[in-house]
């Protein structure tokens, strides 16, 4: 059953939801939630169909849609997925639906919340399927406004600060990126914003030009990943955002940066990529170690997970910089896994936050006794995050490290120690929250509800599945990633 | 030369506007209060008829009145912008409460006269016609700014505007005089040609003359460093007039700027004529200063004044690049700016008319009190900040394209920085509307009524902002059409 224009439906289904929500009265809370769930489910179902219909042996773009938009400037409505974007699209639709269910704990101004939420989802999905730089940029920016409001209105105590910091920081990187995109347009011959054509023309760009534009793009992407030292917006944004938004921030938005590097910077600027490879790997290493060490020092559960995100994204950077098959597959797999795992972790933090309204470890302790299911699931997710073999996190971190080892020996050895630090702070976290003497004021809290279980069990499923059978997902990614490696290294 | 040598058809739009103004005056004189309901519709009809004439002039470049009046596709496009802007202002002013105590007929008459002056401005290719039309529109603007005779703020703004404008015009006249004295020609293209071919003109005089001339133009569009009048005048003037100044006046001024720079470009080879550097300085200073000082404003009208200063900086970037994409980007920006800026002012005007609130604190929790207004204003502010999928993004996109194409990297980066800083300025309004909690008293206030014409104006603007943000092709084609006439 071939569905034409399936990508457009996936991306814009939430927009239909927005239009319908406009006409619903704001006190009909259940109806609002239902409609949002319906349209996000449509996107998820369609993306699942996409997964099943995807041709795994084809490294090129599939399900392509092309319409002229502003022909005078060769700007087109051009969409497609390949092995790089497909897993991330699926991840986005999955986390979006889960986030919407997590959002049931939002009590006030529900209508505005879900309208902004659906707009956010559309923006994220659009980024990963766009094959025209202007279209890509538009979706990239569309994400900013809903994020500002979602953090600023429904967030924690310092939400206004976190929201505007996020907005300004990201916008700055984006605008520099826009200048890079424009420079690319005028240097290309014939002038075009079409990503595939630009990749084909990459041989024409001089090394100096590539380096310049690579740097412009770097700023935009590095802020998103985030790469040290451009990460300072992340702890505030993640901590102050409402739970579901933290899930999407960590699970999807961070991937936008990594995706941008692999989709745009790597194939279009191969010489620059090779030029910066070692520096990039070093930044990855800093991310891993610095993120882990700072996570260790946190007294706030959410902030700990935020810094662990910084740390985990470092593995992606390592794998990407290595430009080896194992490294690249590890990097993209890590993007997917991190989305699943950290998405689960933020959801789980939300569980305890909804009950105690505190994220501080000092307010926790001995929860393992009164909330055994919660204990079990959080341990599961924590083990996945620290890379326990058998769960997904191990495979991606392992592949990234081994894949990079052949190229960057010392950097990898240092980075590997990050794994130990990660294990340390996660185990310590489990101890601080669940073990030890029970605090009497915490005993009254109920264990996980059915709704909360529904939000984490799918994620746990994937953590286990891709831990035992990573081949299932790597088969989708590998052909495209091999092609990208070929484009960067100049071989085919 | 006799009367029959004048091609009256080219002048029909302006004649209609002036005629319509007189009709309104007479209707008021003869019918007094019975005719009052007809005044706004008359004004709208005048504008529509004028627009119809503009559409039917014919797109070939033609001149008349001793070659002073130029009608080309660029002039036509700008007239569309000015007329449409005025139409929206007429809608806004219809029920604007502070204006109700004054004479509506005189107000509309003055407005239409000013619009005709601006139409003359964009069609002039002669120094004298240019100066006269700039003066004409300025003087009427002074009157309109100070129109609320019993309001101290309004009077102050009128006088300030007048003083500043008078001095700037005098300086400009001095520059014009110098230019005339070196060549004896007032027709601008001929003048330039003369300068280029003769070459023997003292470059120092040219430098002074052009500098003085730019002063006048920069004052008109409120570009740094001649922007100092704008915040005070914008704040004091009746809000529909503020909107009019910020859009129509700027569009006309920017058009003149573009034309003049276009004509002057051949002289750039003369080394001591640093037009480019002066203009680049003006552009960067406007973009940055407008954003930075705008952050500190608590009055919506002043904030939007600084925002306009910032935006005109972007327009000047396009003017500097010129030639094809530069000029195109200016036209696209002016159209987009019309929609988003007028939209924002429409809300400020309607809300201000209903509640007398113009400060940020008056907008606290607007999303809960007047949700539709707050949502519309959000879209306009997001567009002003240049974030997709709005026309504001398209406008900035093309200006940035022009800057990159023209290899003016410094301008591009200044624009990028300005965009980020100005976002903070607009976000303060968003914060007040969405994030700040209103007091119980504010929440329980009775909802005031917003007039229907104001809603119409806002709707037209929101449609323009969103539709052209998602489907900008008509704008691009309009811009291409406009630029064709420049040759």
């Amino acid at each position: 059953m071939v569905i034409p224009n399936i990508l457009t439906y996936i991306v814009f289904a939430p927009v239909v939801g927005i239009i319908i929500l406009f006409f619903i009265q704001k006190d009909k809370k259940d109806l609002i939630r239902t409609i949002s769930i319906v349209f996000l489910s449509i996107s998820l179902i369609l993306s699942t169909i996409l997964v099943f219909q995807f041709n795994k042996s084809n490294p090129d773009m599939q399900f392509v849609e092309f319409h002229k938009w502003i022909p005078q400037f060769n700007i087109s409505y051009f969409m497609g997925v390949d092995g790089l974007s497909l897993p991330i699209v699926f991840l986005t639709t999955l986390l979006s639906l889960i986030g919407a269910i997590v959002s049931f704990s939002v009590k006030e101004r529900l209508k505005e919340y879900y309208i902004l939420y659906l707009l956010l989802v559309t923006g994220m999905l659009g980024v990963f399927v766009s094959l025209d730089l202007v279209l890509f940029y538009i979706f990239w920016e569309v994400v900013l406004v809903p994020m500002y409001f979602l953090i600023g209105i429904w967030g924690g105590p310092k939400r206004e600060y976190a929201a505007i910091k996020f907005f300004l920081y990201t916008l700055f990187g984006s605008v520099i990126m826009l200048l890079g995109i424009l420079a690319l347009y005028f240097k290309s011959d014939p002038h075009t914003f079409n990503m595939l054509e630009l990749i084909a023309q990459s041989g024409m760009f001089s090394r100096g030009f590539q380096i310049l534009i690579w740097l412009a793009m770097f700023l935009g992407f590095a802020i998103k990943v985030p790469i040290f030292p451009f990460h300072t917006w992340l702890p505030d944004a993640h901590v102050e955002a409402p739970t579901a938004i933290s899930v999407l921030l960590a699970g999807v938005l961070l991937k936008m940066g990594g995706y941008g590097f692999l989709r745009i910077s790597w194939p279009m600027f191969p010489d620059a990529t090779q030029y910066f490879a070692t520096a990039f790997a070093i930044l990855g290493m800093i991310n891993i170690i610095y993120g882990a060490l700072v996570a260790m020092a946190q007294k706030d559960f959410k902030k700990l997970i935020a810094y662990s995100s910084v740390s985990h994204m470092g593995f992606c950077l390592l794998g990407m910089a290595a430009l080896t098959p194992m490294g690249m597959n590890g990097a993209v797999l890590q993007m997917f896994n991190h989305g699943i795992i950290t998405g689960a972790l933020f959801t789980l933090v939300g569980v305890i936050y909804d009950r105690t309204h505190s994220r501080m470890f000092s307010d926790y302790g001995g929860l393992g006794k009164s909330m055994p299911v919660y204990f079990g699931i959080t341990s599961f997710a924590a083990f996945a995050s620290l890379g326990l073999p058998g769960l997904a996190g191990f495979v991606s971190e392992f592949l990234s490290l081994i894949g990079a080892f052949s190229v960057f020996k010392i950097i990898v050895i240092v980075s590997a120690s990050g794994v130990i630090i990660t294990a340390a702070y996660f185990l310590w976290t489990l101890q601080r929250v669940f073990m030890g003497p029970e605090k009497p004021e915490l005993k009254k809290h109920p264990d996980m509800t059915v709704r909360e279980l529904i939000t984490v069990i799918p994620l746990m499923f994937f953590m286990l599945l891709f831990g035992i059978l990573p081949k299932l997902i790597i088969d989708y990614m590998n052909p495209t990633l091999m092609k990208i490696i070929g484009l960067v290294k100049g071989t085919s | 030369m006799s009367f029959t040598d004048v091609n009256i058809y080219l002048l029909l739009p302006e004649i209609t506007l002036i005629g319509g103004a007189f009709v309104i005056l007479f209707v008021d004189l003869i019918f007094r209060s019975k005719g009052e309901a007809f005044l706004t519709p008359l004004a709208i009809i005048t504008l529509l008829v004028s627009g119809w004439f503009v559409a039917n002039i014919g797109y070939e470049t033609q001149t008349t009145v001793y070659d002073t009046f130029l009608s080309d596709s660029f002039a036509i496009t700008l007239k569309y912008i000015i007329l449409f802007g005025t139409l929206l202002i007429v809608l806004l002013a219809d029920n604007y409460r502070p204006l109700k105590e004054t004479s509506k007929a005189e107000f509309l008459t003055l407005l239409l006269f000013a619009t005709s002056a601006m139409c003359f401005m964009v069609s002039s290719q002669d120094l004298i016609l240019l100066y006269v039309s700039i003066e004409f529109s300025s003087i009427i603007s002074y009157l309109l700014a100070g129109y609320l005779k019993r309001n101290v703020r309004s009077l102050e703004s009128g006088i300030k505007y007048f003083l500043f404008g008078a001095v700037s015009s005098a300086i400009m006249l001095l520059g014009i005089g110098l230019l005339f004295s070196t060549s004896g020609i007032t027709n601008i293209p001929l003048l330039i040609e003369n300068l280029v071919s003769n070459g023997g003109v003292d470059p120092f005089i040219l430098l002074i003359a052009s500098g003085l001339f730019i002063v006048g133009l920069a004052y008109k569009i409120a570009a740094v460093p001649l922007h100092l009048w704008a915040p005070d005048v914008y704040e004091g003037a009746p809000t529909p007039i503020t909107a009019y100044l910020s859009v129509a006046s700027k569009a006309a001024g920017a058009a003149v700027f573009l034309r003049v720079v276009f004509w002057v470009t051949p002289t750039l080879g003369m080394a001591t004529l640093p037009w480019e550097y002066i203009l680049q300085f003006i552009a960067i200073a406007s973009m940055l200063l407008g954003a930075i000082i705008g952050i500190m404003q608590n009055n919506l009208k002043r904030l939007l004044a600084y925002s306009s200063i910032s935006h005109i900086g972007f327009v000047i970037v396009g003017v500097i690049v010129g030639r094809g994409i530069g000029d195109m980007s200016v036209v696209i920006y002016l159209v987009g700016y019309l929609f988003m800026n007028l939209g924002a002012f429409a809300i400020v005007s309607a809300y201000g008319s209903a509640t007398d609130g113009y400060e940020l604190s008056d907008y606290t929790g607007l999303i809960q009190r007047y949700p539709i207004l707050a949502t519309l204003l959000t879209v306009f502010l997001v567009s002003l900040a240049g974030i997709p999928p709005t026309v504001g993004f398209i406008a900035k996109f093309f200006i940035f394209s022009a800057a990159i194409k023209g290899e003016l990297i410094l301008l591009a980066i200044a624009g990028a920085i300005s965009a980020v800083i100005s976002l903070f300025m607009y976000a303060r309004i968003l914060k007040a509307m969405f994030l700040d909690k209103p007091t119980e008293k504010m929440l329980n206030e009775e909802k005031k009524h917003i007039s229907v014409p104001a809603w119409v104006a806002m709707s037209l603007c929101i449609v323009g902002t969103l539709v052209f943000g998602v489907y900008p092709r008509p704008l691009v084609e309009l811009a291409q059409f406009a630029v064709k006439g420049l040759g």
Side-chain angles (χ1 to χ4, degrees), chain A residues 69-73 109 137-138 141 148-149 152-153 160 164 167-168 171-172 175 179 182-183 186 193, chain B residues 325 367 387-388 393 397-398 400-401 404-405 412 416 420 423-424 427 431 434-435 470 472-473 477 480:
Chain A
W69 190 18
I70 310 179
Q72 295 89 344
F73 288 92
R109 296 164 77 175
Y137 185 80
I138 290 181
E141 293 269 272
Y148 171 75
F149 286 120
I153 302 180
E160 294 163 20
I164 193 69
F167 207 165
L168 290 175
L171 182 70
F172 177 66
V175 186
L179 296 184
L182 289 170
F186 285 112
F193 284 103
Chain B
I325 184 145
I367 186 68
I387 295 178
F393 165 69
F397 176 81
F398 279 101
F400 278 131
S401 302
I404 300 281
K405 173 109 193 266
V420 179
L423 174 68
F424 187 68
K431 174 174 176 297
F434 283 86
L435 275 54
V470 172
R473 208 157 136 184
E477 287 170 0
Q480 283 178 318

Coordinates of all heavy atoms in Angstrom, one line a residue, chain A residues 69-73 109 137-138 141 148-149 152-153 160 164 167-168 171-172 175 179 182-183 186 193, chain B residues 325 367 387-388 393 397-398 400-401 404-405 412 416 420 423-424 427 431 434-435 470 472-473 477 480:
Chain A
W69 N 9.0 25.8 -5.5 CA 8.4 26.7 -4.5 C 8.7 28.2 -4.9 O 7.8 29.0 -5.1 CB 9.0 26.4 -3.1 CG 8.3 27.0 -1.9 CD1 7.1 27.6 -1.9 CD2 8.9 27.1 -0.6 NE1 6.9 28.0 -0.6 CE2 7.9 27.7 0.2 CE3 10.1 26.6 -0.1 CZ2 8.1 27.9 1.5 CZ3 10.3 26.9 1.3 CH2 9.3 27.5 2.1
I70 N 10.0 28.5 -5.0 CA 10.4 29.9 -5.5 C 11.4 29.6 -6.6 O 12.6 29.7 -6.3 CB 11.0 30.7 -4.4 CG1 10.1 30.8 -3.1 CG2 11.2 32.2 -4.9 CD1 10.7 31.6 -2.0
P71 N 10.9 29.3 -7.8 CA 11.8 28.9 -8.8 C 12.9 29.9 -9.2 O 13.9 29.5 -9.6 CB 10.9 28.6 -10.0 CG 9.5 29.0 -9.6 CD 9.5 29.4 -8.2
Q72 N 12.5 31.2 -9.0 CA 13.5 32.2 -9.3 C 14.8 32.0 -8.6 O 15.9 32.5 -9.0 CB 13.0 33.6 -9.1 CG 11.8 34.1 -9.9 CD 10.5 33.7 -9.2 OE1 10.5 32.9 -8.3 NE2 9.4 34.3 -9.7
F73 N 14.7 31.4 -7.4 CA 15.9 31.2 -6.6 C 16.2 29.7 -6.4 O 17.0 29.4 -5.5 CB 15.8 31.9 -5.3 CG 15.9 33.4 -5.5 CD1 14.7 34.2 -5.6 CD2 17.1 34.1 -5.5 CE1 14.8 35.5 -5.8 CE2 17.2 35.4 -5.6 CZ 16.0 36.1 -5.8
R109 N -3.9 25.8 31.2 CA -3.8 26.4 29.8 C -3.4 25.2 28.9 O -2.5 25.3 28.1 CB -2.7 27.5 29.8 CG -3.1 28.6 30.7 CD -2.0 29.6 31.0 NE -1.7 30.4 29.9 CZ -0.8 31.4 29.9 NH1 -0.2 31.7 31.0 NH2 -0.5 32.1 28.8
Y137 N 16.1 25.2 6.9 CA 16.3 26.3 7.8 C 14.9 26.8 8.4 O 14.9 27.1 9.6 CB 16.9 27.5 7.1 CG 17.3 28.6 8.0 CD1 18.4 28.6 8.8 CD2 16.4 29.7 8.1 CE1 18.7 29.6 9.7 CE2 16.7 30.8 9.0 CZ 17.9 30.7 9.7 OH 18.2 31.7 10.6
I138 N 13.9 26.8 7.6 CA 12.6 27.2 8.1 C 12.1 26.3 9.2 O 11.7 26.7 10.3 CB 11.6 27.3 6.9 CG1 12.0 28.4 6.0 CG2 10.2 27.4 7.5 CD1 11.0 28.6 4.9
E141 N 14.1 26.8 12.4 CA 13.7 28.0 13.2 C 12.3 27.8 13.8 O 12.0 28.4 14.8 CB 13.7 29.2 12.3 CG 15.1 29.6 11.8 CD 15.7 30.6 12.8 OE1 15.5 31.8 12.6 OE2 16.4 30.1 13.7
Y148 N 10.2 28.4 23.3 CA 10.3 29.5 24.2 C 9.1 29.6 25.1 O 9.2 29.7 26.3 CB 10.4 30.8 23.4 CG 10.3 32.0 24.2 CD1 11.3 32.5 25.0 CD2 9.1 32.8 24.2 CE1 11.2 33.6 25.8 CE2 9.0 33.9 25.0 CZ 10.0 34.3 25.8 OH 9.8 35.4 26.6
F149 N 7.9 29.4 24.4 CA 6.7 29.5 25.2 C 6.5 28.3 26.1 O 6.1 28.4 27.3 CB 5.5 29.6 24.3 CG 5.3 31.0 23.7 CD1 5.4 31.1 22.3 CD2 5.2 32.1 24.5 CE1 5.3 32.4 21.7 CE2 5.1 33.3 23.9 CZ 5.1 33.5 22.5
G152 N 8.9 28.7 28.9 CA 8.6 30.0 29.6 C 7.3 30.0 30.4 O 7.2 30.6 31.4
I153 N 6.3 29.3 29.9 CA 5.0 29.3 30.6 C 4.9 28.1 31.6 O 4.4 28.3 32.7 CB 3.9 29.3 29.6 CG1 4.0 30.5 28.6 CG2 2.5 29.4 30.3 CD1 2.9 30.5 27.6
E160 N 11.7 31.6 32.9 CA 11.8 32.8 31.9 C 13.2 33.0 31.5 O 13.5 33.2 30.3 CB 11.2 34.0 32.6 CG 9.8 34.0 32.9 CD 9.3 35.0 33.9 OE1 10.1 36.0 34.0 OE2 8.3 34.9 34.5
I164 N 14.4 32.4 27.5 CA 15.0 33.4 26.6 C 16.5 33.1 26.3 O 17.0 33.3 25.2 CB 14.9 34.8 27.3 CG1 15.2 35.9 26.3 CG2 15.7 35.0 28.5 CD1 14.1 36.0 25.1
F167 N 16.4 30.6 23.5 CA 15.9 31.3 22.3 C 17.1 32.1 21.7 O 17.4 31.9 20.5 CB 14.8 32.2 22.6 CG 13.8 32.5 21.5 CD1 12.6 33.0 21.7 CD2 14.2 32.2 20.2 CE1 11.7 33.2 20.7 CE2 13.3 32.4 19.1 CZ 12.0 32.9 19.4
L168 N 17.7 33.0 22.5 CA 18.7 33.9 21.9 C 19.9 33.1 21.5 O 20.5 33.3 20.4 CB 19.1 34.9 23.0 CG 18.1 35.9 23.3 CD1 18.5 36.8 24.4 CD2 17.8 36.8 22.1
L171 N 19.1 31.1 18.4 CA 18.9 32.0 17.2 C 20.2 32.5 16.7 O 20.4 32.6 15.5 CB 18.0 33.1 17.6 CG 17.6 34.0 16.4 CD1 16.7 33.4 15.5 CD2 17.0 35.3 16.9
F172 N 21.1 32.8 17.6 CA 22.4 33.3 17.1 C 23.1 32.3 16.2 O 23.5 32.7 15.1 CB 23.2 33.7 18.4 CG 24.6 34.1 18.0 CD1 24.8 35.3 17.4 CD2 25.7 33.4 18.3 CE1 26.0 35.8 17.0 CE2 27.0 33.8 18.0 CZ 27.1 35.0 17.3
V175 N 21.3 32.1 12.8 CA 21.4 33.2 11.9 C 22.8 33.1 11.2 O 22.9 33.3 10.0 CB 21.2 34.5 12.5 CG1 21.3 35.6 11.5 CG2 19.9 34.6 13.2
L179 N 23.7 32.7 7.1 CA 24.7 33.4 6.3 C 25.5 32.3 5.5 O 25.8 32.5 4.3 CB 25.5 34.2 7.1 CG 24.8 35.4 7.9 CD1 25.9 36.3 8.6 CD2 24.1 36.2 6.9
L182 N 23.5 31.0 2.6 CA 23.4 32.0 1.5 C 24.7 32.0 0.7 O 24.7 32.1 -0.5 CB 23.0 33.3 2.0 CG 21.6 33.5 2.5 CD1 21.4 34.8 3.3 CD2 20.6 33.3 1.4
A183 N 25.8 32.0 1.5 CA 27.1 32.0 0.8 C 27.2 30.8 -0.1 O 27.7 30.8 -1.2 CB 28.2 32.0 1.8
F186 N 25.3 31.2 -3.4 CA 25.9 32.1 -4.4 C 27.2 31.5 -5.0 O 27.6 31.8 -6.1 CB 26.1 33.5 -3.8 CG 24.9 34.3 -3.7 CD1 24.4 34.6 -2.4 CD2 24.2 34.7 -4.8 CE1 23.2 35.4 -2.3 CE2 23.0 35.4 -4.7 CZ 22.5 35.7 -3.4
F193 N 19.6 25.8 -3.8 CA 19.5 25.5 -2.3 C 19.3 24.0 -2.1 O 19.1 23.5 -1.0 CB 18.4 26.2 -1.7 CG 18.7 27.7 -1.4 CD1 18.2 28.7 -2.3 CD2 19.6 28.1 -0.4 CE1 18.5 30.0 -2.0 CE2 19.8 29.4 -0.2 CZ 19.3 30.4 -1.0
Chain B
I325 N 19.4 41.9 -7.2 CA 18.9 41.3 -5.9 C 18.8 42.3 -4.8 O 17.9 42.2 -4.0 CB 19.7 40.1 -5.5 CG1 19.1 39.5 -4.3 CG2 21.2 40.5 -5.2 CD1 19.2 38.0 -4.2
I367 N -2.6 37.3 26.9 CA -3.1 36.1 26.3 C -4.4 35.6 27.1 O -5.2 35.0 26.5 CB -2.0 35.0 26.3 CG1 -2.5 33.8 25.5 CG2 -1.6 34.6 27.7 CD1 -2.7 34.0 24.1
I387 N 11.6 35.4 12.1 CA 11.5 34.0 12.3 C 10.5 33.3 11.4 O 9.4 33.9 11.3 CB 11.2 33.7 13.8 CG1 12.4 34.2 14.6 CG2 11.1 32.2 14.1 CD1 12.2 34.1 16.1
P388 N 10.9 32.3 10.7 CA 9.9 31.6 9.8 C 8.7 31.0 10.6 O 8.9 30.8 11.8 CB 10.7 30.5 9.1 CG 12.0 30.4 9.8 CD 12.1 31.6 10.7
F393 N 10.6 36.7 8.0 CA 11.8 35.9 7.7 C 12.1 36.0 6.2 O 13.3 36.2 5.8 CB 11.5 34.4 8.0 CG 12.5 33.5 7.4 CD1 13.8 33.4 7.8 CD2 12.1 32.7 6.3 CE1 14.7 32.6 7.3 CE2 13.0 31.8 5.8 CZ 14.3 31.8 6.2
F397 N 15.6 37.2 4.8 CA 16.3 36.2 4.0 C 16.8 36.9 2.7 O 18.0 36.7 2.3 CB 15.3 35.1 3.6 CG 15.9 34.0 2.7 CD1 16.7 33.1 3.2 CD2 15.6 34.1 1.3 CE1 17.3 32.1 2.3 CE2 16.2 33.1 0.5 CZ 17.0 32.2 1.0
F398 N 15.9 37.7 2.1 CA 16.4 38.3 0.8 C 17.4 39.4 1.1 O 18.3 39.6 0.3 CB 15.2 38.8 0.0 CG 14.5 37.7 -0.7 CD1 13.3 37.2 -0.3 CD2 15.1 37.3 -1.9 CE1 12.7 36.1 -1.0 CE2 14.5 36.3 -2.6 CZ 13.3 35.7 -2.2
F400 N 19.6 39.4 3.5 CA 20.8 38.7 3.8 C 21.4 38.2 2.5 O 22.6 38.2 2.3 CB 20.6 37.5 4.8 CG 20.6 37.9 6.2 CD1 19.6 37.5 7.0 CD2 21.6 38.7 6.7 CE1 19.6 37.9 8.4 CE2 21.6 39.1 8.1 CZ 20.6 38.7 8.9
S401 N 20.5 37.6 1.6 CA 21.0 37.1 0.3 C 21.7 38.3 -0.4 O 22.8 38.1 -1.0 CB 19.9 36.7 -0.6 OG 19.2 35.7 0.1
I404 N 25.1 39.0 1.1 CA 26.1 38.0 0.8 C 26.6 38.1 -0.7 O 27.7 38.0 -1.0 CB 25.6 36.6 1.1 CG1 25.2 36.4 2.6 CG2 26.6 35.5 0.7 CD1 26.4 36.2 3.5
K405 N 25.6 38.3 -1.5 CA 25.9 38.4 -3.0 C 26.8 39.5 -3.2 O 27.7 39.5 -4.0 CB 24.6 38.5 -3.8 CG 24.8 38.8 -5.3 CD 24.4 37.6 -6.1 CE 25.0 37.8 -7.5 NZ 24.0 38.4 -8.4
A412 N 26.3 41.8 6.8 CA 25.6 40.5 7.0 C 25.7 40.1 8.5 O 24.7 39.8 9.1 CB 26.1 39.4 6.1
A416 N 22.9 39.9 11.4 CA 22.7 38.7 12.2 C 22.6 39.1 13.7 O 21.7 38.6 14.4 CB 23.8 37.7 11.9
V420 N 19.4 38.9 16.5 CA 19.4 38.3 17.8 C 19.0 39.3 18.9 O 18.2 39.0 19.7 CB 20.7 37.6 18.1 CG1 20.7 36.9 19.4 CG2 21.0 36.6 17.0
L423 N 15.4 40.3 18.8 CA 14.5 39.2 19.3 C 14.3 39.4 20.8 O 13.2 39.3 21.2 CB 15.1 37.9 19.0 CG 14.3 36.8 19.7 CD1 13.0 36.7 19.0 CD2 15.0 35.4 19.7
F424 N 15.3 39.8 21.5 CA 15.2 40.0 22.9 C 14.2 41.2 23.1 O 13.4 41.1 24.0 CB 16.5 40.3 23.5 CG 16.5 40.4 25.0 CD1 16.2 39.3 25.8 CD2 16.7 41.6 25.7 CE1 16.2 39.3 27.2 CE2 16.6 41.7 27.1 CZ 16.3 40.6 27.8
A427 N 10.9 39.8 22.5 CA 10.5 38.8 23.5 C 10.0 39.4 24.8 O 9.3 38.8 25.5 CB 11.7 37.9 23.8
K431 N 7.0 38.1 26.7 CA 7.1 37.7 28.1 C 5.9 38.4 28.8 O 5.2 37.7 29.6 CB 8.4 38.2 28.6 CG 8.6 38.0 30.1 CD 10.0 38.3 30.5 CE 10.2 38.2 32.0 NZ 9.4 39.2 32.8
F434 N 2.6 36.6 27.8 CA 2.3 35.2 28.1 C 2.8 34.8 29.4 O 2.2 34.0 30.1 CB 3.1 34.4 27.0 CG 2.4 34.3 25.7 CD1 2.6 35.3 24.8 CD2 1.5 33.3 25.4 CE1 1.9 35.3 23.6 CE2 0.8 33.3 24.2 CZ 1.0 34.2 23.3
L435 N 4.0 35.3 29.8 CA 4.7 34.7 31.0 C 4.3 35.4 32.3 O 4.2 34.8 33.3 CB 6.2 34.7 30.8 CG 6.8 33.5 30.0 CD1 6.2 33.3 28.7 CD2 8.3 33.7 29.9
V470 N 4.7 31.8 3.9 CA 4.7 30.4 3.4 C 4.8 30.3 1.9 O 5.4 29.4 1.4 CB 3.4 29.7 3.9 CG1 3.3 28.3 3.3 CG2 3.4 29.6 5.4
P472 N 6.0 32.9 -0.8 CA 6.5 34.2 -1.1 C 6.6 34.5 -2.6 O 7.0 35.6 -2.9 CB 7.9 34.2 -0.5 CG 8.3 32.8 -0.3 CD 7.1 32.0 -0.3
R473 N 6.2 33.6 -3.4 CA 6.4 33.8 -4.8 C 5.8 35.1 -5.4 O 6.4 35.8 -6.2 CB 5.9 32.6 -5.6 CG 6.6 32.4 -6.9 CD 6.5 31.0 -7.3 NE 6.2 31.0 -8.7 CZ 5.9 29.9 -9.5 NH1 5.9 28.7 -8.9 NH2 5.7 30.0 -10.7
E477 N 7.8 37.9 -7.4 CA 7.4 38.4 -8.8 C 7.2 39.9 -8.8 O 7.5 40.6 -9.7 CB 6.3 37.6 -9.3 CG 6.7 36.2 -9.6 CD 5.6 35.2 -9.9 OE1 4.4 35.6 -9.9 OE2 5.9 34.0 -10.2
Q480 N 10.5 41.6 -8.8 CA 11.1 41.5 -10.1 C 10.5 42.5 -11.1 O 11.2 43.2 -11.8 CB 11.0 40.1 -10.7 CG 11.9 39.1 -10.1 CD 11.8 37.7 -10.7 OE1 10.6 37.3 -10.9 NE2 12.9 37.0 -10.9

